[in-house]
Amino acid sequence: MQITIQPIGIIRSPRRTPEDDDWGAVASEFVLDEAFDEESLAEIESFSHVEVIFHFHLVEEKKIETGARHPRNNPAWPRAGIFAQRGKNRPNRLGLSIARIVGREGRVLRLEGLDAIDGTPVIDLKPVMREFLPREAVQQPAWAGELMKEYWEKPRE
């Protein structure tokens, strides 16, 4: 089976290289591709958050993981399969993140807290709706909480 997907736009961000932590205050913009009418974004700003599906475009083919590894190469954490992690070196190099919508001006959607770097191709956007969030408590292993403790915001010193 072959799938062809075209980006709907790109991300403009002050972050130019992939980094592991401190994404919470990053202000970025989604810029809609000229192939789409700006009307396709109508009413998106009436939502507080948007899911952004994007492509990890800087991951080289030879660095793709298909098995298990220690998250962030930390041997203190168990080996976990690539589909039990959210790392960028995945088979299809797809990322998914939820960002806060700050505003919209025409083809540009201003965002906060998106963990995508400058030039990232965006595959799709979806508004976050309460009804699509988990209806029960979310469960995760302890290592995942440790890994994420500074992902959105580093502690103030």
Side-chain angles (χ1 to χ4, degrees):
M1 177 187 335
Q2 184 72 17
I3 299 173
T4 302
I5 296 177
Q6 296 297 319
I8 64 166
I10 63 163
I11 296 299
R12 286 191 203 140
S13 172
R15 305 243 332 229
R16 309 242 186 263
T17 58
E19 298 172 41
D20 286 333
D21 293 315
D22 205 19
W23 287 96
V26 173
S28 59
E29 296 177 336
F30 162 75
V31 182
L32 185 66
D33 190 276
E34 294 290 329
F36 298 91
D37 190 295
E38 76 178 65
E39 191 174 86
S40 64
L41 292 174
E43 281 300 303
I44 192 82
E45 68 274 17
S46 65
F47 291 88
S48 64
H49 293 80
V50 65
E51 288 181 288
V52 181
I53 303 167
F54 55 92
H55 187 256
F56 290 115
H57 65 295
L58 297 183
V59 174
E60 299 173 36
E61 189 83 29
K62 65 184 178 192
K63 294 197 175 180
I64 300 248
E65 298 281 345
T66 59
R69 65 177 182 151
H70 295 285
R72 290 197 185 177
N73 298 314
N74 183 340
W77 295 330
R79 285 173 45 86
I82 194 64
F83 299 125
Q85 301 181 45
R86 294 184 64 104
K88 65 186 177 306
N89 296 36
R90 345 180 40 74
N92 287 317
R93 296 174 270 190
L94 292 181
L96 170 67
S97 192
I98 295 176
R100 188 169 74 82
I101 297 173
V102 177
R104 178 173 79 93
E105 294 161 23
R107 314 178 75 70
V108 177
L109 188 61
R110 292 189 328 276
L111 304 170
E112 185 176 81
L114 177 66
D115 56 346
I117 62 174
D118 191 59
T120 296
V122 174
I123 306 303
D124 205 352
L125 298 175
K126 292 186 180 211
V128 173
M129 298 179 185
R130 281 188 294 272
E131 293 80 4
F132 281 98
L133 297 174
R135 292 170 294 288
E136 57 280 319
V138 173
Q139 177 181 321
Q140 66 185 31
W143 65 262
E146 291 174 37
L147 183 147
M148 295 299 296
K149 71 181 173 189
E150 293 181 358
Y151 193 81
W152 297 113
E153 191 172 346
K154 287 187 179 179
R156 304 274 187 254
E157 294 180 15

